[in-house]
Amino acid sequence: MVIHLFGHPFSSYTWKAQIAFYENDTPFEFRMIGPDHPKNSSELSRLSAAGKFPLLVDGDDAVFEATAIVEYLESVRPGPVKLIPDDPAAAVKVRMMDRVFDNYVMNVMTVIVGNALRPEEHRDPYGVKRARADLDRIYTWLDGELAGREWACGADFTLADCAAAPALFYADWTNPIADKHVTLKAYRTRLLARLSVARCVEDARPYRSYFPLGAPDRD
């Protein structure tokens, strides 16, 4: 039975799920969410608690939240690339770093992006200033934490890297990573060169005009 993945090519959390599919060449049917696809949107609203994507549907199983989707694939449709280690301690580290990239990079970045989508009279300069400071702080932490590693948790590409790729891709557009963070910038470059991530970047390219801060002429 074919897995269905509901999402949008420009969505960061859709990327996170897609990267896991691409890493193991797991077959799936992409169900585009948008005004031209009302049936997909209706199905998403019915099966996802908040009507948000990505959503995985595999027969009678419906899984929302990108991390849960990657966990599902690892458990039910495993492939040669193990995205969550068997070793319990290593798995905890991977899951912790997954939360770091989602909560301290991606979700902070969306504060700035979301502010740009607000009407002028409802914008929050103070909130944006705090979000930029929080991103600078986590960039500094990550630059030290990733020293000596090829991927987020060591030599192997994992769930944490699935989270890191879209988070750092869009965060660097929103609040550029300083040149002094050589380790972090090099890690982002490696992520974007990985085939599974590069595929997401290309799939999203036609939608760059959607970025409310203006997509930079790079990547």
Side-chain angles (χ1 to χ4, degrees), residues 129-187:
K129 182 178 179 180
R130 288 193 62 181
R132 291 193 183 280
D134 288 343
L135 283 175
D136 288 338
R137 178 176 180 174
I138 198 63
Y139 290 167
T140 298
W141 184 85
L142 285 167
D143 194 61
E145 179 70 12
L146 296 173
R149 299 179 191 167
E150 182 177 8
W151 302 112
C153 296
D156 298 322
F157 191 94
T158 67
L159 163 66
D161 302 290
C162 294
L168 292 173
F169 180 83
Y170 287 116
D172 188 51
W173 279 14
T174 304
N175 189 73
I177 300 168
D179 289 341
K180 65 180 179 180
H181 297 319
V182 175
T183 297
L184 182 58
K185 288 176 75 72
Y187 172 60

Side-chain angles (χ1 to χ4, degrees), residues 14-168:
T14 299
W15 280 30
K16 181 176 173 179
Q18 285 180 297
I19 290 165
F21 278 100
Y22 294 152
E23 280 294 317
N24 281 307
D25 293 322
T26 305
F28 70 99
E29 181 179 325
F30 190 71
R31 302 282 294 273
M32 182 80 160
I33 298 298
D36 295 333
H37 304 274
K39 183 178 178 181
N40 292 344
S41 298
S42 176
E43 193 75 353
L44 176 73
S45 296
R46 185 175 70 84
L47 294 172
S48 175
K52 294 183 178 181
F53 49 81
L55 167 73
L56 175 152
V57 177
D58 186 11
D60 294 331
D61 294 325
V63 183
F64 50 87
E65 291 293 327
T67 296
I69 289 172
V70 178
E71 295 262 13
Y72 179 89
L73 292 174
E74 186 72 12
S75 299
V76 179
R77 302 289 186 102
V81 178
K82 287 196 64 64
L83 297 173
I84 301 171
D86 290 328
D87 177 73
V92 168
K93 179 73 171 181
V94 165
R95 290 185 172 102
M96 182 188 78
M97 291 298 288
D98 169 68
R99 304 324 303 139
V100 166
F101 286 112
D102 277 5
N103 292 328
Y104 306 146
V105 181
M106 180 62 70
N107 290 350
V108 176
M109 181 274 297
T110 59
V111 171
I112 302 169
V113 173
N115 184 75
L117 292 169
R118 293 179 178 182
E120 185 70 37
E121 65 271 21
H122 296 300
R123 290 184 180 172
D124 178 16
Y126 177 71
V128 168
K129 182 178 179 180
R130 288 193 62 181
R132 291 193 183 280
D134 288 343
L135 283 175
D136 288 338
R137 178 176 180 174
I138 198 63
Y139 290 167
T140 298
W141 184 85
L142 285 167
D143 194 61
E145 179 70 12
L146 296 173
R149 299 179 191 167
E150 182 177 8
W151 302 112
C153 296
D156 298 322
F157 191 94
T158 67
L159 163 66
D161 302 290
C162 294
L168 292 173

